[in-house]
Amino acid sequence: MRDFTYSVPWNLALITIGTGIFAFGIKAIALPHGFISGGMSGLGLLLYYLTDKLSPGQWLFLLNAPIFLFGWFGVSRRFFLYSLYGAVSVVVFMELIPWVLPVNDPWLAAIAAGATFGTGLGITFRSLGSTGGTDIIAVAINQKYNLRIGAVTFGFNLALFVVSMLFMKVDLVLYSLSTVFIAAQIMEYVLGLFHQRKMVFIISDKTEEIAAAIMRDLHRGATFLDGRGAYSGRPKSVLLTVVFNIQLKRLEQAIYAIDPDAFTIVESPMNVIGRKFSRRKVY
């Protein structure tokens, strides 16, 4: 399963599902309420509102074309091809989706659109690709100048919403800003949803027994760290282990069944890369 999650079918499946949800949010929620999204899809929606000449999907396709020419030279071929598939998928779904979500309240629509955008983008970014657009530019700049991807995206969105103020009602722009903010929070949640880990420090006089229980019962590794008690001055053995979130209660039971006086510290690491956890994501 570990190798399958990095296979071509798995990545294509994630991109297809994610872009389908993202496109639904645009076509069924944002568009009927006159909102714009972030990134290149938001610029496509703005041009659609201003001109009413082409569909939002057609605008997105035209805007993406020069970016992919740039991306061919600026990013890896694998990321380029996956992102090309993602961008085409968004356009196709936007053209095919006929539904409108029956939401009348604009705040509820903004929340629903943000949740939908975030879910779709989060699933897509679990793959080795993206939805195209500004993601291509951001990754290319990051690889060349080490400028953070989030900073590039934020800069583009800031310029987009400032310009939108000149052509759209302020209320609609503010609703749209709320949508993008909600989408960012939901996307982060979806990205970490299935890979939550806990880093645990265990201070005990029975760390040898606890380490054996962790390896035997939880099938996780552990590392001994050398410590010293600040009050007693005596050497202490500190045990470090990382477990999946659902294993935390079992770990606590194992620790305190061996040493009721053990002292534990639980942290939530940003990312865990290594054997039996995540592989390094290389675009």
PDB file of all heavy atoms in Angstrom, residues 192-220:
ATOM      1  N   GLY A 192      -3.833  17.216   6.584  1.00  0.00           N
ATOM      2  CA  GLY A 192      -3.327  16.497   7.742  1.00  0.00           C
ATOM      3  C   GLY A 192      -4.288  15.487   8.329  1.00  0.00           C
ATOM      4  O   GLY A 192      -3.968  14.814   9.309  1.00  0.00           O
ATOM      5  N   LEU A 193      -5.477  15.358   7.729  1.00  0.00           N
ATOM      6  CA  LEU A 193      -6.543  14.559   8.328  1.00  0.00           C
ATOM      7  C   LEU A 193      -6.150  13.111   8.541  1.00  0.00           C
ATOM      8  O   LEU A 193      -6.389  12.529   9.603  1.00  0.00           O
ATOM      9  CB  LEU A 193      -7.801  14.643   7.452  1.00  0.00           C
ATOM     10  CG  LEU A 193      -9.043  13.924   7.979  1.00  0.00           C
ATOM     11  CD1 LEU A 193      -9.481  14.534   9.313  1.00  0.00           C
ATOM     12  CD2 LEU A 193     -10.176  14.017   6.964  1.00  0.00           C
ATOM     13  N   PHE A 194      -5.553  12.480   7.538  1.00  0.00           N
ATOM     14  CA  PHE A 194      -5.271  11.049   7.605  1.00  0.00           C
ATOM     15  C   PHE A 194      -3.834  10.754   8.024  1.00  0.00           C
ATOM     16  O   PHE A 194      -3.420   9.608   8.012  1.00  0.00           O
ATOM     17  CB  PHE A 194      -5.556  10.408   6.246  1.00  0.00           C
ATOM     18  CG  PHE A 194      -6.988  10.565   5.819  1.00  0.00           C
ATOM     19  CD1 PHE A 194      -7.329  11.470   4.817  1.00  0.00           C
ATOM     20  CD2 PHE A 194      -7.989   9.850   6.428  1.00  0.00           C
ATOM     21  CE1 PHE A 194      -8.650  11.619   4.429  1.00  0.00           C
ATOM     22  CE2 PHE A 194      -9.311  10.003   6.051  1.00  0.00           C
ATOM     23  CZ  PHE A 194      -9.649  10.892   5.037  1.00  0.00           C
ATOM     24  N   HIS A 195      -3.094  11.787   8.367  1.00  0.00           N
ATOM     25  CA  HIS A 195      -1.696  11.560   8.709  1.00  0.00           C
ATOM     26  C   HIS A 195      -1.307  12.318   9.982  1.00  0.00           C
ATOM     27  O   HIS A 195      -0.231  12.884  10.061  1.00  0.00           O
ATOM     28  CB  HIS A 195      -0.790  11.985   7.545  1.00  0.00           C
ATOM     29  CG  HIS A 195      -0.934  11.108   6.350  1.00  0.00           C
ATOM     30  ND1 HIS A 195      -0.203   9.963   6.190  1.00  0.00           N
ATOM     31  CD2 HIS A 195      -1.759  11.193   5.278  1.00  0.00           C
ATOM     32  CE1 HIS A 195      -0.555   9.371   5.047  1.00  0.00           C
ATOM     33  NE2 HIS A 195      -1.479  10.101   4.490  1.00  0.00           N
ATOM     34  N   GLN A 196      -2.203  12.321  10.962  1.00  0.00           N
ATOM     35  CA  GLN A 196      -1.909  12.991  12.206  1.00  0.00           C
ATOM     36  C   GLN A 196      -0.997  12.111  13.068  1.00  0.00           C
ATOM     37  O   GLN A 196      -1.289  10.938  13.297  1.00  0.00           O
ATOM     38  CB  GLN A 196      -3.205  13.303  12.959  1.00  0.00           C
ATOM     39  CG  GLN A 196      -4.063  14.342  12.265  1.00  0.00           C
ATOM     40  CD  GLN A 196      -5.331  14.653  13.034  1.00  0.00           C
ATOM     41  OE1 GLN A 196      -5.650  13.984  13.996  1.00  0.00           O
ATOM     42  NE2 GLN A 196      -6.045  15.672  12.607  1.00  0.00           N
ATOM     43  N   ARG A 197       0.106  12.684  13.510  1.00  0.00           N
ATOM     44  CA  ARG A 197       1.036  11.967  14.364  1.00  0.00           C
ATOM     45  C   ARG A 197       1.212  12.696  15.674  1.00  0.00           C
ATOM     46  O   ARG A 197       0.964  13.896  15.773  1.00  0.00           O
ATOM     47  CB  ARG A 197       2.418  11.835  13.693  1.00  0.00           C
ATOM     48  CG  ARG A 197       2.522  10.760  12.644  1.00  0.00           C
ATOM     49  CD  ARG A 197       2.139  11.260  11.327  1.00  0.00           C
ATOM     50  NE  ARG A 197       2.549  10.315  10.267  1.00  0.00           N
ATOM     51  CZ  ARG A 197       2.276  10.493   8.999  1.00  0.00           C
ATOM     52  NH1 ARG A 197       1.612  11.549   8.615  1.00  0.00           N
ATOM     53  NH2 ARG A 197       2.658   9.611   8.105  1.00  0.00           N
ATOM     54  N   LYS A 198       1.650  11.959  16.663  1.00  0.00           N
ATOM     55  CA  LYS A 198       1.968  12.539  17.958  1.00  0.00           C
ATOM     56  C   LYS A 198       3.399  12.157  18.332  1.00  0.00           C
ATOM     57  O   LYS A 198       3.771  10.984  18.237  1.00  0.00           O
ATOM     58  CB  LYS A 198       1.002  12.037  19.035  1.00  0.00           C
ATOM     59  CG  LYS A 198      -0.452  12.458  18.822  1.00  0.00           C
ATOM     60  CD  LYS A 198      -0.632  13.970  18.893  1.00  0.00           C
ATOM     61  CE  LYS A 198      -2.102  14.351  18.713  1.00  0.00           C
ATOM     62  NZ  LYS A 198      -2.288  15.820  18.756  1.00  0.00           N
ATOM     63  N   MET A 199       4.168  13.149  18.719  1.00  0.00           N
ATOM     64  CA  MET A 199       5.520  12.907  19.211  1.00  0.00           C
ATOM     65  C   MET A 199       5.464  12.898  20.733  1.00  0.00           C
ATOM     66  O   MET A 199       4.943  13.839  21.345  1.00  0.00           O
ATOM     67  CB  MET A 199       6.471  13.994  18.711  1.00  0.00           C
ATOM     68  CG  MET A 199       7.904  13.837  19.184  1.00  0.00           C
ATOM     69  SD  MET A 199       9.025  15.031  18.404  1.00  0.00           S
ATOM     70  CE  MET A 199       8.331  16.585  19.026  1.00  0.00           C
ATOM     71  N   VAL A 200       5.971  11.826  21.343  1.00  0.00           N
ATOM     72  CA  VAL A 200       5.821  11.629  22.782  1.00  0.00           C
ATOM     73  C   VAL A 200       7.198  11.477  23.433  1.00  0.00           C
ATOM     74  O   VAL A 200       8.001  10.636  23.002  1.00  0.00           O
ATOM     75  CB  VAL A 200       4.956  10.389  23.089  1.00  0.00           C
ATOM     76  CG1 VAL A 200       4.726  10.264  24.591  1.00  0.00           C
ATOM     77  CG2 VAL A 200       3.623  10.460  22.352  1.00  0.00           C
ATOM     78  N   PHE A 201       7.446  12.301  24.447  1.00  0.00           N
ATOM     79  CA  PHE A 201       8.626  12.155  25.299  1.00  0.00           C
ATOM     80  C   PHE A 201       8.187  11.462  26.586  1.00  0.00           C
ATOM     81  O   PHE A 201       7.191  11.878  27.207  1.00  0.00           O
ATOM     82  CB  PHE A 201       9.241  13.518  25.634  1.00  0.00           C
ATOM     83  CG  PHE A 201       9.867  14.213  24.468  1.00  0.00           C
ATOM     84  CD1 PHE A 201       9.149  15.137  23.721  1.00  0.00           C
ATOM     85  CD2 PHE A 201      11.180  13.943  24.114  1.00  0.00           C
ATOM     86  CE1 PHE A 201       9.730  15.790  22.649  1.00  0.00           C
ATOM     87  CE2 PHE A 201      11.779  14.595  23.043  1.00  0.00           C
ATOM     88  CZ  PHE A 201      11.053  15.506  22.304  1.00  0.00           C
ATOM     89  N   ILE A 202       8.901  10.441  26.990  1.00  0.00           N
ATOM     90  CA  ILE A 202       8.548   9.674  28.181  1.00  0.00           C
ATOM     91  C   ILE A 202       9.737   9.694  29.139  1.00  0.00           C
ATOM     92  O   ILE A 202      10.838   9.251  28.787  1.00  0.00           O
ATOM     93  CB  ILE A 202       8.192   8.213  27.824  1.00  0.00           C
ATOM     94  CG1 ILE A 202       7.095   8.183  26.758  1.00  0.00           C
ATOM     95  CG2 ILE A 202       7.768   7.439  29.070  1.00  0.00           C
ATOM     96  CD1 ILE A 202       7.024   6.885  25.992  1.00  0.00           C
ATOM     97  N   ILE A 203       9.516  10.211  30.337  1.00  0.00           N
ATOM     98  CA  ILE A 203      10.548  10.244  31.365  1.00  0.00           C
ATOM     99  C   ILE A 203      10.147   9.257  32.457  1.00  0.00           C
ATOM    100  O   ILE A 203       9.095   9.410  33.091  1.00  0.00           O
ATOM    101  CB  ILE A 203      10.712  11.661  31.943  1.00  0.00           C
ATOM    102  CG1 ILE A 203      11.046  12.651  30.813  1.00  0.00           C
ATOM    103  CG2 ILE A 203      11.794  11.690  33.012  1.00  0.00           C
ATOM    104  CD1 ILE A 203      11.052  14.094  31.248  1.00  0.00           C
ATOM    105  N   SER A 204      10.957   8.251  32.647  1.00  0.00           N
ATOM    106  CA  SER A 204      10.602   7.171  33.572  1.00  0.00           C
ATOM    107  C   SER A 204      11.867   6.436  33.996  1.00  0.00           C
ATOM    108  O   SER A 204      12.901   6.490  33.317  1.00  0.00           O
ATOM    109  CB  SER A 204       9.625   6.204  32.897  1.00  0.00           C
ATOM    110  OG  SER A 204       9.467   5.019  33.652  1.00  0.00           O
ATOM    111  N   ASP A 205      11.766   5.730  35.121  1.00  0.00           N
ATOM    112  CA  ASP A 205      12.857   4.857  35.550  1.00  0.00           C
ATOM    113  C   ASP A 205      12.752   3.477  34.904  1.00  0.00           C
ATOM    114  O   ASP A 205      13.592   2.610  35.164  1.00  0.00           O
ATOM    115  CB  ASP A 205      12.847   4.712  37.079  1.00  0.00           C
ATOM    116  CG  ASP A 205      13.201   6.019  37.775  1.00  0.00           C
ATOM    117  OD1 ASP A 205      14.012   6.790  37.211  1.00  0.00           O
ATOM    118  OD2 ASP A 205      12.646   6.278  38.862  1.00  0.00           O
ATOM    119  N   LYS A 206      11.719   3.290  34.076  1.00  0.00           N
ATOM    120  CA  LYS A 206      11.497   1.990  33.441  1.00  0.00           C
ATOM    121  C   LYS A 206      11.375   2.137  31.927  1.00  0.00           C
ATOM    122  O   LYS A 206      10.542   1.501  31.283  1.00  0.00           O
ATOM    123  CB  LYS A 206      10.237   1.334  34.007  1.00  0.00           C
ATOM    124  CG  LYS A 206      10.286   1.086  35.514  1.00  0.00           C
ATOM    125  CD  LYS A 206       9.000   0.443  36.023  1.00  0.00           C
ATOM    126  CE  LYS A 206       9.077   0.194  37.524  1.00  0.00           C
ATOM    127  NZ  LYS A 206       7.828  -0.413  38.043  1.00  0.00           N
ATOM    128  N   THR A 207      12.208   2.994  31.354  1.00  0.00           N
ATOM    129  CA  THR A 207      12.116   3.244  29.914  1.00  0.00           C
ATOM    130  C   THR A 207      12.454   2.010  29.073  1.00  0.00           C
ATOM    131  O   THR A 207      11.945   1.858  27.966  1.00  0.00           O
ATOM    132  CB  THR A 207      13.039   4.409  29.510  1.00  0.00           C
ATOM    133  OG1 THR A 207      14.350   4.180  30.045  1.00  0.00           O
ATOM    134  CG2 THR A 207      12.506   5.731  30.014  1.00  0.00           C
ATOM    135  N   GLU A 208      13.310   1.136  29.578  1.00  0.00           N
ATOM    136  CA  GLU A 208      13.653  -0.093  28.841  1.00  0.00           C
ATOM    137  C   GLU A 208      12.406  -0.947  28.642  1.00  0.00           C
ATOM    138  O   GLU A 208      12.142  -1.445  27.545  1.00  0.00           O
ATOM    139  CB  GLU A 208      14.730  -0.877  29.584  1.00  0.00           C
ATOM    140  CG  GLU A 208      16.079  -0.185  29.666  1.00  0.00           C
ATOM    141  CD  GLU A 208      16.914  -0.384  28.417  1.00  0.00           C
ATOM    142  OE1 GLU A 208      16.461  -1.136  27.517  1.00  0.00           O
ATOM    143  OE2 GLU A 208      18.011   0.209  28.337  1.00  0.00           O
ATOM    144  N   GLU A 209      11.631  -1.127  29.712  1.00  0.00           N
ATOM    145  CA  GLU A 209      10.413  -1.937  29.629  1.00  0.00           C
ATOM    146  C   GLU A 209       9.369  -1.254  28.740  1.00  0.00           C
ATOM    147  O   GLU A 209       8.660  -1.913  27.973  1.00  0.00           O
ATOM    148  CB  GLU A 209       9.848  -2.165  31.026  1.00  0.00           C
ATOM    149  CG  GLU A 209      10.747  -2.950  31.952  1.00  0.00           C
ATOM    150  CD  GLU A 209      10.194  -2.996  33.357  1.00  0.00           C
ATOM    151  OE1 GLU A 209       9.009  -3.348  33.506  1.00  0.00           O
ATOM    152  OE2 GLU A 209      10.936  -2.660  34.303  1.00  0.00           O
ATOM    153  N   ILE A 210       9.252   0.072  28.873  1.00  0.00           N
ATOM    154  CA  ILE A 210       8.269   0.809  28.066  1.00  0.00           C
ATOM    155  C   ILE A 210       8.631   0.720  26.585  1.00  0.00           C
ATOM    156  O   ILE A 210       7.765   0.525  25.725  1.00  0.00           O
ATOM    157  CB  ILE A 210       8.187   2.274  28.527  1.00  0.00           C
ATOM    158  CG1 ILE A 210       7.623   2.339  29.946  1.00  0.00           C
ATOM    159  CG2 ILE A 210       7.319   3.087  27.571  1.00  0.00           C
ATOM    160  CD1 ILE A 210       7.698   3.721  30.577  1.00  0.00           C
ATOM    161  N   ALA A 211       9.931   0.861  26.262  1.00  0.00           N
ATOM    162  CA  ALA A 211      10.375   0.771  24.870  1.00  0.00           C
ATOM    163  C   ALA A 211      10.049  -0.609  24.293  1.00  0.00           C
ATOM    164  O   ALA A 211       9.603  -0.727  23.136  1.00  0.00           O
ATOM    165  CB  ALA A 211      11.867   1.046  24.775  1.00  0.00           C
ATOM    166  N   ALA A 212      10.258  -1.645  25.087  1.00  0.00           N
ATOM    167  CA  ALA A 212       9.945  -3.005  24.626  1.00  0.00           C
ATOM    168  C   ALA A 212       8.455  -3.155  24.345  1.00  0.00           C
ATOM    169  O   ALA A 212       8.051  -3.788  23.358  1.00  0.00           O
ATOM    170  CB  ALA A 212      10.402  -4.024  25.665  1.00  0.00           C
ATOM    171  N   ALA A 213       7.619  -2.553  25.203  1.00  0.00           N
ATOM    172  CA  ALA A 213       6.168  -2.629  25.002  1.00  0.00           C
ATOM    173  C   ALA A 213       5.740  -1.864  23.752  1.00  0.00           C
ATOM    174  O   ALA A 213       4.848  -2.307  23.013  1.00  0.00           O
ATOM    175  CB  ALA A 213       5.455  -2.071  26.238  1.00  0.00           C
ATOM    176  N   ILE A 214       6.369  -0.720  23.510  1.00  0.00           N
ATOM    177  CA  ILE A 214       6.035   0.073  22.318  1.00  0.00           C
ATOM    178  C   ILE A 214       6.357  -0.715  21.044  1.00  0.00           C
ATOM    179  O   ILE A 214       5.556  -0.770  20.108  1.00  0.00           O
ATOM    180  CB  ILE A 214       6.812   1.411  22.335  1.00  0.00           C
ATOM    181  CG1 ILE A 214       6.275   2.309  23.445  1.00  0.00           C
ATOM    182  CG2 ILE A 214       6.711   2.110  20.975  1.00  0.00           C
ATOM    183  CD1 ILE A 214       7.105   3.564  23.665  1.00  0.00           C
ATOM    184  N   MET A 215       7.517  -1.327  21.015  1.00  0.00           N
ATOM    185  CA  MET A 215       7.919  -2.087  19.824  1.00  0.00           C
ATOM    186  C   MET A 215       7.098  -3.359  19.667  1.00  0.00           C
ATOM    187  O   MET A 215       6.750  -3.758  18.561  1.00  0.00           O
ATOM    188  CB  MET A 215       9.409  -2.415  19.904  1.00  0.00           C
ATOM    189  CG  MET A 215      10.305  -1.188  19.761  1.00  0.00           C
ATOM    190  SD  MET A 215      12.069  -1.570  19.721  1.00  0.00           S
ATOM    191  CE  MET A 215      12.347  -1.985  21.455  1.00  0.00           C
ATOM    192  N   ARG A 216       6.742  -3.976  20.778  1.00  0.00           N
ATOM    193  CA  ARG A 216       5.999  -5.233  20.715  1.00  0.00           C
ATOM    194  C   ARG A 216       4.507  -5.026  20.427  1.00  0.00           C
ATOM    195  O   ARG A 216       3.926  -5.703  19.580  1.00  0.00           O
ATOM    196  CB  ARG A 216       6.159  -5.984  22.050  1.00  0.00           C
ATOM    197  CG  ARG A 216       5.438  -7.344  22.087  1.00  0.00           C
ATOM    198  CD  ARG A 216       5.530  -7.980  23.467  1.00  0.00           C
ATOM    199  NE  ARG A 216       4.813  -7.195  24.482  1.00  0.00           N
ATOM    200  CZ  ARG A 216       5.406  -6.556  25.481  1.00  0.00           C
ATOM    201  NH1 ARG A 216       6.726  -6.593  25.614  1.00  0.00           N
ATOM    202  NH2 ARG A 216       4.681  -5.878  26.363  1.00  0.00           N
ATOM    203  N   ASP A 217       3.881  -4.082  21.122  1.00  0.00           N
ATOM    204  CA  ASP A 217       2.426  -3.929  21.051  1.00  0.00           C
ATOM    205  C   ASP A 217       1.967  -2.909  20.010  1.00  0.00           C
ATOM    206  O   ASP A 217       0.902  -3.070  19.411  1.00  0.00           O
ATOM    207  CB  ASP A 217       1.880  -3.524  22.431  1.00  0.00           C
ATOM    208  CG  ASP A 217       2.187  -4.564  23.502  1.00  0.00           C
ATOM    209  OD1 ASP A 217       2.360  -5.747  23.134  1.00  0.00           O
ATOM    210  OD2 ASP A 217       2.272  -4.181  24.685  1.00  0.00           O
ATOM    211  N   LEU A 218       2.751  -1.845  19.804  1.00  0.00           N
ATOM    212  CA  LEU A 218       2.334  -0.802  18.868  1.00  0.00           C
ATOM    213  C   LEU A 218       3.102  -0.868  17.555  1.00  0.00           C
ATOM    214  O   LEU A 218       2.765  -0.159  16.604  1.00  0.00           O
ATOM    215  CB  LEU A 218       2.527   0.591  19.479  1.00  0.00           C
ATOM    216  CG  LEU A 218       1.430   1.082  20.427  1.00  0.00           C
ATOM    217  CD1 LEU A 218       1.506   0.387  21.786  1.00  0.00           C
ATOM    218  CD2 LEU A 218       1.515   2.588  20.617  1.00  0.00           C
ATOM    219  N   HIS A 219       4.137  -1.697  17.512  1.00  0.00           N
ATOM    220  CA  HIS A 219       4.955  -1.860  16.303  1.00  0.00           C
ATOM    221  C   HIS A 219       5.539  -0.519  15.833  1.00  0.00           C
ATOM    222  O   HIS A 219       5.599  -0.230  14.649  1.00  0.00           O
ATOM    223  CB  HIS A 219       4.142  -2.510  15.178  1.00  0.00           C
ATOM    224  CG  HIS A 219       3.521  -3.810  15.570  1.00  0.00           C
ATOM    225  ND1 HIS A 219       4.258  -4.959  15.796  1.00  0.00           N
ATOM    226  CD2 HIS A 219       2.220  -4.144  15.806  1.00  0.00           C
ATOM    227  CE1 HIS A 219       3.444  -5.943  16.138  1.00  0.00           C
ATOM    228  NE2 HIS A 219       2.209  -5.477  16.156  1.00  0.00           N
ATOM    229  N   ARG A 220       5.950   0.283  16.807  1.00  0.00           N
ATOM    230  CA  ARG A 220       6.588   1.558  16.521  1.00  0.00           C
ATOM    231  C   ARG A 220       7.994   1.536  17.108  1.00  0.00           C
ATOM    232  O   ARG A 220       8.287   0.791  18.047  1.00  0.00           O
ATOM    233  CB  ARG A 220       5.797   2.726  17.130  1.00  0.00           C
ATOM    234  CG  ARG A 220       4.376   2.871  16.613  1.00  0.00           C
ATOM    235  CD  ARG A 220       4.266   4.020  15.626  1.00  0.00           C
ATOM    236  NE  ARG A 220       4.959   3.773  14.388  1.00  0.00           N
ATOM    237  CZ  ARG A 220       4.379   3.238  13.308  1.00  0.00           C
ATOM    238  NH1 ARG A 220       3.119   2.873  13.330  1.00  0.00           N
ATOM    239  NH2 ARG A 220       5.077   3.081  12.194  1.00  0.00           N
TER     240      ARG A 220
END
